[in-house]
PDB file of all heavy atoms in Angstrom:
ATOM      1  N   LEU A1444     -13.157   2.691  -1.186  1.00  0.00           N
ATOM      2  CA  LEU A1444     -12.276   3.708  -1.751  1.00  0.00           C
ATOM      3  C   LEU A1444     -11.019   3.085  -2.339  1.00  0.00           C
ATOM      4  O   LEU A1444     -10.514   3.534  -3.366  1.00  0.00           O
ATOM      5  CB  LEU A1444     -11.901   4.710  -0.658  1.00  0.00           C
ATOM      6  CG  LEU A1444     -10.948   5.839  -1.035  1.00  0.00           C
ATOM      7  CD1 LEU A1444     -11.565   6.768  -2.065  1.00  0.00           C
ATOM      8  CD2 LEU A1444     -10.540   6.629   0.208  1.00  0.00           C
ATOM      9  N   PHE A1445     -10.530   2.028  -1.707  1.00  0.00           N
ATOM     10  CA  PHE A1445      -9.295   1.388  -2.147  1.00  0.00           C
ATOM     11  C   PHE A1445      -9.637   0.188  -3.036  1.00  0.00           C
ATOM     12  O   PHE A1445     -10.078  -0.850  -2.547  1.00  0.00           O
ATOM     13  CB  PHE A1445      -8.452   0.969  -0.945  1.00  0.00           C
ATOM     14  CG  PHE A1445      -7.924   2.147  -0.177  1.00  0.00           C
ATOM     15  CD1 PHE A1445      -8.670   2.700   0.851  1.00  0.00           C
ATOM     16  CD2 PHE A1445      -6.717   2.724  -0.509  1.00  0.00           C
ATOM     17  CE1 PHE A1445      -8.203   3.807   1.549  1.00  0.00           C
ATOM     18  CE2 PHE A1445      -6.244   3.832   0.183  1.00  0.00           C
ATOM     19  CZ  PHE A1445      -6.987   4.375   1.211  1.00  0.00           C
ATOM     20  N   ARG A1446      -9.431   0.362  -4.330  1.00  0.00           N
ATOM     21  CA  ARG A1446      -9.821  -0.632  -5.315  1.00  0.00           C
ATOM     22  C   ARG A1446      -8.633  -1.470  -5.765  1.00  0.00           C
ATOM     23  O   ARG A1446      -7.482  -1.033  -5.693  1.00  0.00           O
ATOM     24  CB  ARG A1446     -10.457   0.062  -6.512  1.00  0.00           C
ATOM     25  CG  ARG A1446     -11.740   0.811  -6.157  1.00  0.00           C
ATOM     26  CD  ARG A1446     -12.397   1.425  -7.368  1.00  0.00           C
ATOM     27  NE  ARG A1446     -13.701   1.997  -7.032  1.00  0.00           N
ATOM     28  CZ  ARG A1446     -14.512   2.566  -7.917  1.00  0.00           C
ATOM     29  NH1 ARG A1446     -14.140   2.666  -9.195  1.00  0.00           N
ATOM     30  NH2 ARG A1446     -15.687   3.053  -7.537  1.00  0.00           N
ATOM     31  N   PRO A1447      -8.886  -2.685  -6.256  1.00  0.00           N
ATOM     32  CA  PRO A1447      -7.794  -3.563  -6.679  1.00  0.00           C
ATOM     33  C   PRO A1447      -6.888  -2.961  -7.748  1.00  0.00           C
ATOM     34  O   PRO A1447      -5.720  -3.354  -7.856  1.00  0.00           O
ATOM     35  CB  PRO A1447      -8.537  -4.797  -7.220  1.00  0.00           C
ATOM     36  CG  PRO A1447      -9.834  -4.808  -6.477  1.00  0.00           C
ATOM     37  CD  PRO A1447     -10.201  -3.359  -6.309  1.00  0.00           C
ATOM     38  N   GLU A1448      -7.399  -2.007  -8.533  1.00  0.00           N
ATOM     39  CA  GLU A1448      -6.573  -1.377  -9.566  1.00  0.00           C
ATOM     40  C   GLU A1448      -5.321  -0.708  -8.985  1.00  0.00           C
ATOM     41  O   GLU A1448      -4.318  -0.544  -9.696  1.00  0.00           O
ATOM     42  CB  GLU A1448      -7.402  -0.347 -10.336  1.00  0.00           C
ATOM     43  CG  GLU A1448      -8.455  -0.926 -11.252  1.00  0.00           C
ATOM     44  CD  GLU A1448      -9.754  -1.299 -10.557  1.00  0.00           C
ATOM     45  OE1 GLU A1448      -9.825  -1.183  -9.298  1.00  0.00           O
ATOM     46  OE2 GLU A1448     -10.705  -1.712 -11.243  1.00  0.00           O
ATOM     47  N   LEU A1449      -5.370  -0.345  -7.709  1.00  0.00           N
ATOM     48  CA  LEU A1449      -4.193   0.262  -7.086  1.00  0.00           C
ATOM     49  C   LEU A1449      -2.992  -0.676  -7.114  1.00  0.00           C
ATOM     50  O   LEU A1449      -1.846  -0.237  -7.184  1.00  0.00           O
ATOM     51  CB  LEU A1449      -4.495   0.634  -5.629  1.00  0.00           C
ATOM     52  CG  LEU A1449      -5.386   1.845  -5.373  1.00  0.00           C
ATOM     53  CD1 LEU A1449      -5.659   1.972  -3.889  1.00  0.00           C
ATOM     54  CD2 LEU A1449      -4.737   3.111  -5.909  1.00  0.00           C
ATOM     55  N   LEU A1450      -3.266  -1.975  -7.053  1.00  0.00           N
ATOM     56  CA  LEU A1450      -2.181  -2.949  -7.004  1.00  0.00           C
ATOM     57  C   LEU A1450      -1.432  -3.042  -8.331  1.00  0.00           C
ATOM     58  O   LEU A1450      -0.339  -3.619  -8.388  1.00  0.00           O
ATOM     59  CB  LEU A1450      -2.744  -4.328  -6.628  1.00  0.00           C
ATOM     60  CG  LEU A1450      -3.487  -4.397  -5.289  1.00  0.00           C
ATOM     61  CD1 LEU A1450      -4.026  -5.798  -5.059  1.00  0.00           C
ATOM     62  CD2 LEU A1450      -2.582  -3.974  -4.143  1.00  0.00           C
ATOM     63  N   ASP A1451      -2.007  -2.483  -9.396  1.00  0.00           N
ATOM     64  CA  ASP A1451      -1.355  -2.511 -10.705  1.00  0.00           C
ATOM     65  C   ASP A1451      -0.351  -1.383 -10.882  1.00  0.00           C
ATOM     66  O   ASP A1451       0.416  -1.386 -11.845  1.00  0.00           O
ATOM     67  CB  ASP A1451      -2.400  -2.420 -11.822  1.00  0.00           C
ATOM     68  CG  ASP A1451      -3.355  -3.602 -11.829  1.00  0.00           C
ATOM     69  OD1 ASP A1451      -2.934  -4.705 -11.430  1.00  0.00           O
ATOM     70  OD2 ASP A1451      -4.527  -3.419 -12.231  1.00  0.00           O
ATOM     71  N   ASP A1452      -0.361  -0.419  -9.965  1.00  0.00           N
ATOM     72  CA  ASP A1452       0.538   0.722 -10.115  1.00  0.00           C
ATOM     73  C   ASP A1452       1.900   0.389  -9.518  1.00  0.00           C
ATOM     74  O   ASP A1452       1.999   0.092  -8.325  1.00  0.00           O
ATOM     75  CB  ASP A1452      -0.046   1.959  -9.425  1.00  0.00           C
ATOM     76  CG  ASP A1452       0.839   3.174  -9.652  1.00  0.00           C
ATOM     77  OD1 ASP A1452       0.801   3.725 -10.760  1.00  0.00           O
ATOM     78  OD2 ASP A1452       1.591   3.537  -8.722  1.00  0.00           O
ATOM     79  N   PRO A1453       2.970   0.463 -10.310  1.00  0.00           N
ATOM     80  CA  PRO A1453       4.289   0.036  -9.825  1.00  0.00           C
ATOM     81  C   PRO A1453       4.896   0.958  -8.775  1.00  0.00           C
ATOM     82  O   PRO A1453       5.855   0.571  -8.097  1.00  0.00           O
ATOM     83  CB  PRO A1453       5.143   0.014 -11.097  1.00  0.00           C
ATOM     84  CG  PRO A1453       4.480   0.994 -12.017  1.00  0.00           C
ATOM     85  CD  PRO A1453       3.010   0.869 -11.737  1.00  0.00           C
ATOM     86  N   ALA A1454       4.362   2.170  -8.619  1.00  0.00           N
ATOM     87  CA  ALA A1454       4.927   3.120  -7.653  1.00  0.00           C
ATOM     88  C   ALA A1454       4.147   3.159  -6.354  1.00  0.00           C
ATOM     89  O   ALA A1454       4.500   3.915  -5.444  1.00  0.00           O
ATOM     90  CB  ALA A1454       4.972   4.519  -8.267  1.00  0.00           C
ATOM     91  N   THR A1455       3.091   2.354  -6.229  1.00  0.00           N
ATOM     92  CA  THR A1455       2.229   2.384  -5.048  1.00  0.00           C
ATOM     93  C   THR A1455       2.392   1.112  -4.241  1.00  0.00           C
ATOM     94  O   THR A1455       2.303   0.008  -4.778  1.00  0.00           O
ATOM     95  CB  THR A1455       0.754   2.550  -5.462  1.00  0.00           C
ATOM     96  OG1 THR A1455       0.597   3.780  -6.171  1.00  0.00           O
ATOM     97  CG2 THR A1455      -0.160   2.556  -4.247  1.00  0.00           C
ATOM     98  N   PHE A1456       2.606   1.274  -2.933  1.00  0.00           N
ATOM     99  CA  PHE A1456       2.796   0.145  -2.034  1.00  0.00           C
ATOM    100  C   PHE A1456       1.885   0.331  -0.827  1.00  0.00           C
ATOM    101  O   PHE A1456       2.066   1.269  -0.051  1.00  0.00           O
ATOM    102  CB  PHE A1456       4.257   0.050  -1.590  1.00  0.00           C
ATOM    103  CG  PHE A1456       5.212  -0.197  -2.726  1.00  0.00           C
ATOM    104  CD1 PHE A1456       5.621   0.852  -3.542  1.00  0.00           C
ATOM    105  CD2 PHE A1456       5.667  -1.476  -2.994  1.00  0.00           C
ATOM    106  CE1 PHE A1456       6.475   0.632  -4.607  1.00  0.00           C
ATOM    107  CE2 PHE A1456       6.535  -1.709  -4.057  1.00  0.00           C
ATOM    108  CZ  PHE A1456       6.938  -0.659  -4.868  1.00  0.00           C
ATOM    109  N   VAL A1457       0.905  -0.547  -0.700  1.00  0.00           N
ATOM    110  CA  VAL A1457       0.011  -0.527   0.450  1.00  0.00           C
ATOM    111  C   VAL A1457       0.655  -1.387   1.532  1.00  0.00           C
ATOM    112  O   VAL A1457       0.919  -2.580   1.316  1.00  0.00           O
ATOM    113  CB  VAL A1457      -1.381  -1.052   0.078  1.00  0.00           C
ATOM    114  CG1 VAL A1457      -2.312  -1.018   1.294  1.00  0.00           C
ATOM    115  CG2 VAL A1457      -1.979  -0.233  -1.064  1.00  0.00           C
ATOM    116  N   LEU A1458       0.936  -0.800   2.680  1.00  0.00           N
ATOM    117  CA  LEU A1458       1.691  -1.453   3.739  1.00  0.00           C
ATOM    118  C   LEU A1458       0.769  -1.866   4.872  1.00  0.00           C
ATOM    119  O   LEU A1458       0.001  -1.050   5.380  1.00  0.00           O
ATOM    120  CB  LEU A1458       2.765  -0.509   4.275  1.00  0.00           C
ATOM    121  CG  LEU A1458       3.685   0.121   3.213  1.00  0.00           C
ATOM    122  CD1 LEU A1458       4.603   1.147   3.863  1.00  0.00           C
ATOM    123  CD2 LEU A1458       4.485  -0.947   2.488  1.00  0.00           C
ATOM    124  N   ALA A1459       0.845  -3.130   5.269  1.00  0.00           N
ATOM    125  CA  ALA A1459      -0.035  -3.664   6.301  1.00  0.00           C
ATOM    126  C   ALA A1459       0.780  -4.140   7.494  1.00  0.00           C
ATOM    127  O   ALA A1459       1.714  -4.928   7.343  1.00  0.00           O
ATOM    128  CB  ALA A1459      -0.862  -4.820   5.753  1.00  0.00           C
ATOM    129  N   GLY A1460       0.442  -3.658   8.678  1.00  0.00           N
ATOM    130  CA  GLY A1460       1.009  -4.160   9.924  1.00  0.00           C
ATOM    131  C   GLY A1460       0.062  -5.184  10.513  1.00  0.00           C
ATOM    132  O   GLY A1460      -1.127  -4.911  10.685  1.00  0.00           O
ATOM    133  N   ARG A1461       0.578  -6.372  10.806  1.00  0.00           N
ATOM    134  CA  ARG A1461      -0.276  -7.472  11.266  1.00  0.00           C
ATOM    135  C   ARG A1461       0.017  -7.831  12.716  1.00  0.00           C
ATOM    136  O   ARG A1461       1.166  -7.822  13.149  1.00  0.00           O
ATOM    137  CB  ARG A1461      -0.044  -8.710  10.393  1.00  0.00           C
ATOM    138  CG  ARG A1461      -0.473  -8.576   8.951  1.00  0.00           C
ATOM    139  CD  ARG A1461      -0.107  -9.869   8.266  1.00  0.00           C
ATOM    140  NE  ARG A1461      -0.384  -9.867   6.840  1.00  0.00           N
ATOM    141  CZ  ARG A1461      -1.309 -10.624   6.258  1.00  0.00           C
ATOM    142  NH1 ARG A1461      -2.061 -11.400   6.993  1.00  0.00           N
ATOM    143  NH2 ARG A1461      -1.464 -10.599   4.958  1.00  0.00           N
ATOM    144  N   SER A1462      -1.045  -8.206  13.406  1.00  0.00           N
ATOM    145  CA  SER A1462      -0.903  -8.713  14.762  1.00  0.00           C
ATOM    146  C   SER A1462      -0.448 -10.171  14.712  1.00  0.00           C
ATOM    147  O   SER A1462      -0.346 -10.772  13.635  1.00  0.00           O
ATOM    148  CB  SER A1462      -2.234  -8.603  15.504  1.00  0.00           C
ATOM    149  OG  SER A1462      -3.228  -9.364  14.829  1.00  0.00           O
ATOM    150  N   ALA A1463      -0.205 -10.764  15.879  1.00  0.00           N
ATOM    151  CA  ALA A1463       0.272 -12.141  15.934  1.00  0.00           C
ATOM    152  C   ALA A1463      -0.720 -13.119  15.319  1.00  0.00           C
ATOM    153  O   ALA A1463      -0.323 -14.170  14.789  1.00  0.00           O
ATOM    154  CB  ALA A1463       0.569 -12.531  17.382  1.00  0.00           C
ATOM    155  N   ASP A1464      -2.014 -12.792  15.360  1.00  0.00           N
ATOM    156  CA  ASP A1464      -3.013 -13.683  14.776  1.00  0.00           C
ATOM    157  C   ASP A1464      -3.279 -13.398  13.302  1.00  0.00           C
ATOM    158  O   ASP A1464      -4.192 -13.968  12.708  1.00  0.00           O
ATOM    159  CB  ASP A1464      -4.322 -13.622  15.567  1.00  0.00           C
ATOM    160  CG  ASP A1464      -4.920 -12.226  15.613  1.00  0.00           C
ATOM    161  OD1 ASP A1464      -4.384 -11.312  14.943  1.00  0.00           O
ATOM    162  OD2 ASP A1464      -5.923 -12.031  16.331  1.00  0.00           O
ATOM    163  N   GLY A1465      -2.492 -12.506  12.704  1.00  0.00           N
ATOM    164  CA  GLY A1465      -2.581 -12.270  11.268  1.00  0.00           C
ATOM    165  C   GLY A1465      -3.517 -11.176  10.837  1.00  0.00           C
ATOM    166  O   GLY A1465      -3.620 -10.896   9.642  1.00  0.00           O
ATOM    167  N   HIS A1466      -4.190 -10.515  11.769  1.00  0.00           N
ATOM    168  CA  HIS A1466      -5.125  -9.459  11.403  1.00  0.00           C
ATOM    169  C   HIS A1466      -4.384  -8.144  11.128  1.00  0.00           C
ATOM    170  O   HIS A1466      -3.376  -7.835  11.772  1.00  0.00           O
ATOM    171  CB  HIS A1466      -6.150  -9.245  12.513  1.00  0.00           C
ATOM    172  CG  HIS A1466      -7.143 -10.356  12.623  1.00  0.00           C
ATOM    173  ND1 HIS A1466      -6.968 -11.424  13.474  1.00  0.00           N
ATOM    174  CD2 HIS A1466      -8.316 -10.577  11.981  1.00  0.00           C
ATOM    175  CE1 HIS A1466      -7.997 -12.257  13.368  1.00  0.00           C
ATOM    176  NE2 HIS A1466      -8.829 -11.766  12.466  1.00  0.00           N
ATOM    177  N   VAL A1467      -4.900  -7.375  10.156  1.00  0.00           N
ATOM    178  CA  VAL A1467      -4.348  -6.057   9.861  1.00  0.00           C
ATOM    179  C   VAL A1467      -4.799  -5.095  10.947  1.00  0.00           C
ATOM    180  O   VAL A1467      -5.994  -4.885  11.147  1.00  0.00           O
ATOM    181  CB  VAL A1467      -4.798  -5.548   8.476  1.00  0.00           C
ATOM    182  CG1 VAL A1467      -4.248  -4.148   8.218  1.00  0.00           C
ATOM    183  CG2 VAL A1467      -4.341  -6.497   7.374  1.00  0.00           C
ATOM    184  N   VAL A1468      -3.841  -4.514  11.661  1.00  0.00           N
ATOM    185  CA  VAL A1468      -4.173  -3.601  12.754  1.00  0.00           C
ATOM    186  C   VAL A1468      -3.525  -2.228  12.574  1.00  0.00           C
ATOM    187  O   VAL A1468      -3.765  -1.314  13.367  1.00  0.00           O
ATOM    188  CB  VAL A1468      -3.768  -4.194  14.115  1.00  0.00           C
ATOM    189  CG1 VAL A1468      -4.597  -5.428  14.434  1.00  0.00           C
ATOM    190  CG2 VAL A1468      -2.276  -4.518  14.148  1.00  0.00           C
ATOM    191  N   ALA A1469      -2.695  -2.080  11.547  1.00  0.00           N
ATOM    192  CA  ALA A1469      -2.060  -0.796  11.263  1.00  0.00           C
ATOM    193  C   ALA A1469      -1.676  -0.777   9.798  1.00  0.00           C
ATOM    194  O   ALA A1469      -1.583  -1.829   9.150  1.00  0.00           O
ATOM    195  CB  ALA A1469      -0.824  -0.582  12.137  1.00  0.00           C
ATOM    196  N   GLY A1470      -1.460   0.417   9.263  1.00  0.00           N
ATOM    197  CA  GLY A1470      -1.084   0.463   7.855  1.00  0.00           C
ATOM    198  C   GLY A1470      -0.815   1.868   7.360  1.00  0.00           C
ATOM    199  O   GLY A1470      -0.958   2.851   8.093  1.00  0.00           O
ATOM    200  N   ALA A1471      -0.407   1.912   6.111  1.00  0.00           N
ATOM    201  CA  ALA A1471      -0.117   3.171   5.432  1.00  0.00           C
ATOM    202  C   ALA A1471      -0.001   2.878   3.955  1.00  0.00           C
ATOM    203  O   ALA A1471       0.024   1.710   3.527  1.00  0.00           O
ATOM    204  CB  ALA A1471       1.179   3.781   5.957  1.00  0.00           C
ATOM    205  N   VAL A1472       0.074   3.928   3.157  1.00  0.00           N
ATOM    206  CA  VAL A1472       0.352   3.807   1.726  1.00  0.00           C
ATOM    207  C   VAL A1472       1.656   4.530   1.444  1.00  0.00           C
ATOM    208  O   VAL A1472       1.845   5.678   1.875  1.00  0.00           O
ATOM    209  CB  VAL A1472      -0.778   4.409   0.870  1.00  0.00           C
ATOM    210  CG1 VAL A1472      -0.391   4.402  -0.611  1.00  0.00           C
ATOM    211  CG2 VAL A1472      -2.083   3.634   1.078  1.00  0.00           C
ATOM    212  N   ALA A1473       2.563   3.867   0.746  1.00  0.00           N
ATOM    213  CA  ALA A1473       3.819   4.467   0.319  1.00  0.00           C
ATOM    214  C   ALA A1473       3.779   4.683  -1.186  1.00  0.00           C
ATOM    215  O   ALA A1473       3.428   3.765  -1.933  1.00  0.00           O
ATOM    216  CB  ALA A1473       5.006   3.576   0.695  1.00  0.00           C
ATOM    217  N   SER A1474       4.115   5.899  -1.621  1.00  0.00           N
ATOM    218  CA  SER A1474       4.078   6.257  -3.040  1.00  0.00           C
ATOM    219  C   SER A1474       5.473   6.713  -3.449  1.00  0.00           C
ATOM    220  O   SER A1474       5.937   7.777  -3.009  1.00  0.00           O
ATOM    221  CB  SER A1474       3.070   7.383  -3.287  1.00  0.00           C
ATOM    222  OG  SER A1474       1.814   7.062  -2.727  1.00  0.00           O
ATOM    223  N   ARG A1475       6.109   5.936  -4.294  1.00  0.00           N
ATOM    224  CA  ARG A1475       7.472   6.263  -4.680  1.00  0.00           C
ATOM    225  C   ARG A1475       7.488   7.223  -5.862  1.00  0.00           C
ATOM    226  O   ARG A1475       6.728   7.079  -6.808  1.00  0.00           O
ATOM    227  CB  ARG A1475       8.232   5.000  -5.062  1.00  0.00           C
ATOM    228  CG  ARG A1475       9.675   5.294  -5.468  1.00  0.00           C
ATOM    229  CD  ARG A1475      10.444   4.069  -5.846  1.00  0.00           C
ATOM    230  NE  ARG A1475      11.803   4.425  -6.257  1.00  0.00           N
ATOM    231  CZ  ARG A1475      12.751   3.548  -6.537  1.00  0.00           C
ATOM    232  NH1 ARG A1475      12.504   2.255  -6.448  1.00  0.00           N
ATOM    233  NH2 ARG A1475      13.950   3.950  -6.902  1.00  0.00           N
ATOM    234  N   SER A1476       8.357   8.213  -5.789  1.00  0.00           N
ATOM    235  CA  SER A1476       8.662   9.055  -6.946  1.00  0.00           C
ATOM    236  C   SER A1476      10.180   9.092  -7.101  1.00  0.00           C
ATOM    237  O   SER A1476      10.898   8.354  -6.415  1.00  0.00           O
ATOM    238  CB  SER A1476       8.069  10.456  -6.791  1.00  0.00           C
ATOM    239  OG  SER A1476       8.447  11.042  -5.564  1.00  0.00           O
ATOM    240  N   ASP A1477      10.685   9.911  -7.996  1.00  0.00           N
ATOM    241  CA  ASP A1477      12.117   9.862  -8.314  1.00  0.00           C
ATOM    242  C   ASP A1477      13.013  10.155  -7.117  1.00  0.00           C
ATOM    243  O   ASP A1477      14.069   9.548  -6.953  1.00  0.00           O
ATOM    244  CB  ASP A1477      12.436  10.853  -9.437  1.00  0.00           C
ATOM    245  CG  ASP A1477      11.861  10.417 -10.770  1.00  0.00           C
ATOM    246  OD1 ASP A1477      11.555   9.217 -10.905  1.00  0.00           O
ATOM    247  OD2 ASP A1477      11.718  11.269 -11.662  1.00  0.00           O
ATOM    248  N   GLN A1478      12.594  11.100  -6.267  1.00  0.00           N
ATOM    249  CA  GLN A1478      13.493  11.577  -5.213  1.00  0.00           C
ATOM    250  C   GLN A1478      13.062  11.241  -3.800  1.00  0.00           C
ATOM    251  O   GLN A1478      13.865  11.349  -2.872  1.00  0.00           O
ATOM    252  CB  GLN A1478      13.625  13.104  -5.327  1.00  0.00           C
ATOM    253  CG  GLN A1478      14.128  13.574  -6.683  1.00  0.00           C
ATOM    254  CD  GLN A1478      14.155  15.084  -6.786  1.00  0.00           C
ATOM    255  OE1 GLN A1478      14.988  15.739  -6.156  1.00  0.00           O
ATOM    256  NE2 GLN A1478      13.259  15.651  -7.560  1.00  0.00           N
ATOM    257  N   VAL A1479      11.805  10.846  -3.614  1.00  0.00           N
ATOM    258  CA  VAL A1479      11.280  10.614  -2.268  1.00  0.00           C
ATOM    259  C   VAL A1479      10.249   9.491  -2.292  1.00  0.00           C
ATOM    260  O   VAL A1479       9.802   9.048  -3.356  1.00  0.00           O
ATOM    261  CB  VAL A1479      10.597  11.881  -1.699  1.00  0.00           C
ATOM    262  CG1 VAL A1479      11.592  13.002  -1.489  1.00  0.00           C
ATOM    263  CG2 VAL A1479       9.441  12.325  -2.595  1.00  0.00           C
ATOM    264  N   VAL A1480       9.886   9.057  -1.094  1.00  0.00           N
ATOM    265  CA  VAL A1480       8.738   8.180  -0.915  1.00  0.00           C
ATOM    266  C   VAL A1480       7.702   8.956  -0.110  1.00  0.00           C
ATOM    267  O   VAL A1480       8.011   9.474   0.971  1.00  0.00           O
ATOM    268  CB  VAL A1480       9.117   6.886  -0.166  1.00  0.00           C
ATOM    269  CG1 VAL A1480       7.872   6.013   0.051  1.00  0.00           C
ATOM    270  CG2 VAL A1480      10.169   6.107  -0.931  1.00  0.00           C
TER     271      VAL A1480
END
């Protein structure tokens, strides 16, 4: 569902929380607009 084209959008930020060994164990997507995220 999440394709590399998302990384080209300047208002989209995929956020990754990593464990001590570097694995992604939590995350979210932040979408910026004029007044809010």
Side-chain angles (χ1 to χ4, degrees):
L1444 178 65
F1445 293 89
R1446 297 183 173 182
E1448 289 82 356
L1449 286 175
L1450 302 178
D1451 297 329
D1452 184 76
T1455 299
F1456 297 80
V1457 180
L1458 308 174
R1461 294 178 184 247
S1462 60
D1464 59 6
H1466 288 93
V1467 178
V1468 294
V1472 174
S1474 308
R1475 180 180 178 174
S1476 53
D1477 290 341
Q1478 303 176 71
V1479 295
V1480 178

